[in-house]
Amino acid sequence: MSRKLFHIFNYSFLTLLGLMMFLPFMNVIAQSLSSAGAIDRGEVMFWPVEFTTRYYEYVFDDVSIWRAFSVTVYITVMGTLINLIMTASLAYPLSRQEYVGRTYILIFVLMTMIFSAPLIPQFILMREVGLVNTLWALMLPTAISAFNLFVLRSFFAQIPHELIDSSRIDGCSELRTLWSIVLPLSKPALATVGIFYSVTNWNKYMDALYYINDVKKYPLQVKLRQMLITDDLTDTGNLAFEAASQSVQGVQMAVILVATIPIIMVYPFLQRYFIKGMMIGSIKS
């Protein structure tokens, strides 16, 4: 009886939690597809009223949005590639018992999870190395996440030592062993860490505000902030907005969806690797 009550409570709680996340998203979709009059009158809840696609036409006609979108895609693809290469390169030696000094390096990495660098010294460092106002400033400083490093290291540590030793006996270098033996066996962990990194790179916001001065290099999240907070919808000279008498809120909702849906669409393709990687990575040696 108590177990049945637990299941009822559990399902009710999860359903309520799911609705709290799903219904606001439905409201955003409905507003992005409703007329300006319906939005102003407050008639839009979870279904479009006086259906229209004019907000999306405005968004897709805006050159600045496409430019910000391309910057975000570049940061996500290139940044995630850098993240995976750098993280795997450090996680592999840290996972092998025979490497001297790995404990000290692990302690050093662990300290970065507790203490973070202050903003001003970090900005001065970025300026001195010439990364300010470049897209590298959004990718290189966060090349390795300590949390993702420990997840990947835990996975690498479960690969049998005999397999690594066999590759060495066959003449493989450490780099060849990592590339040909370890990485092909670690697809679930790499997919999991890759999702973490790609979502982080897609949502890059504060780093862009700190280090990017050129508006042409703004990622999509900063452009979205510009449109949501400052209501700046006409900075590109696009007169379609005034001509169509569109709702500012409707355009904002359309931009939110354009910024959200691409990264959501990636998840189903990596879901099976994600679940498997998280389960295996959670086992500590």
Side-chain angles (χ1 to χ4, degrees):
M1 185 63 182
S2 60
R3 188 173 183 81
K4 186 176 180 180
L5 287 175
F6 170 76
H7 283 302
I8 293 175
F9 173 79
N10 195 24
Y11 286 126
S12 301
F13 175 75
L14 291 177
T15 301
L16 180 62
L17 188 64
L19 289 175
M20 290 174 62
M21 300 178 183
F22 182 70
L23 291 180
F25 192 68
M26 285 294 297
N27 181 255
V28 171
I29 296 176
Q31 291 196 53
S32 71
L33 295 172
S34 300
S35 69
I39 295 175
D40 293 339
R41 293 192 298 271
E43 298 175 351
V44 183
M45 290 297 290
F46 308 118
W47 196 255
V49 178
E50 299 173 1
F51 182 85
T52 180
T53 59
R54 64 175 58 177
Y55 310 127
Y56 290 98
E57 294 172 6
Y58 167 76
V59 169
F60 292 134
D61 287 341
D62 193 328
V63 177
S64 65
I65 293 178
W66 279 110
R67 185 172 57 232
F69 185 83
S70 63
V71 170
T72 297
V73 171
Y74 177 79
I75 294 171
T76 303
V77 175
M78 182 61 72
T80 303
L81 187 61
I82 293 173
N83 293 140
L84 290 177
I85 292 174
M86 299 294 287
T87 305
S89 299
L90 182 57
Y92 173 66
L94 294 179
S95 67
R96 312 267 46 108
Q97 300 286 342
E98 59 270 26
Y99 287 107
V100 179
R102 65 190 189 92
T103 303
Y104 300 104
I105 298 177
L106 283 174
I107 293 174
F108 179 77
V109 173
L110 184 62
M111 289 177 64
T112 65
M113 300 180 69
I114 303 173
F115 306 102
S116 59
L119 177 60
I120 300 302
Q122 192 173 355
F123 181 84
I124 294 175
L125 174 64
M126 298 289 288
R127 187 186 60 187
E128 293 299 319
V129 297
L131 292 181
V132 172
N133 208 26
T134 68
L135 295 182
W136 295 110
L138 307 181
M139 296 182 284
L140 293 183
T142 54
I144 298 178
S145 161
F147 174 79
N148 292 335
L149 175 69
F150 280 106
V151 171
L152 208 55
R153 173 190 166 276
S154 298
F155 193 94
F156 287 168
Q158 297 174 47
I159 297 177
H161 295 282
E162 292 79 6
L163 189 60
I164 305 297
D165 292 338
S166 297
S167 66
R168 291 170 177 167
I169 293 173
D170 289 340
C172 290
S173 63
E174 293 300 318
L175 184 60
R176 179 65 183 275
T177 301
L178 173 63
W179 180 258
S180 302
I181 304 296
V182 176
L183 293 184
L185 294 174
S186 307
K187 290 179 181 177
L190 292 173
T192 303
V193 173
I195 289 178
F196 290 154
Y197 277 130
S198 60
V199 172
T200 301
N201 289 323
W202 183 271
N203 292 323
K204 279 289 171 74
Y205 174 66
M206 294 304 297
D207 291 346
L209 288 179
Y210 295 150
Y211 302 127
I212 303 298
N213 302 320
D214 187 354
V215 293
K216 294 182 179 180
K217 296 179 182 177
Y218 278 166
L220 191 58
Q221 305 305 327
V222 177
K223 178 64 181 175
L224 182 61
R225 174 252 181 197
Q226 192 178 23
M227 301 179 72
L228 288 176
I229 297 179
T230 66
D231 289 343
D232 187 4
L233 301 177
T234 58
D235 62 326
T236 61
N238 190 336
L239 299 179
F241 180 80
E242 292 86 352
S245 298
Q246 298 180 69
S247 166
V248 173
Q249 191 172 347
V251 176
Q252 291 172 342
M253 298 301 110
V255 175
I256 290 175
L257 289 176
V258 171
T260 305
I261 289 179
I263 195 65
I264 293 178
M265 292 175 63
V266 174
Y267 181 76
F269 297 100
L270 300 175
Q271 182 182 11
R272 61 193 179 100
Y273 293 112
F274 179 77
I275 297 174
K276 186 178 179 182
M278 285 302 296
M279 292 297 294
I280 296 176
S282 63
I283 300 174
K284 303 297 184 294
S285 58

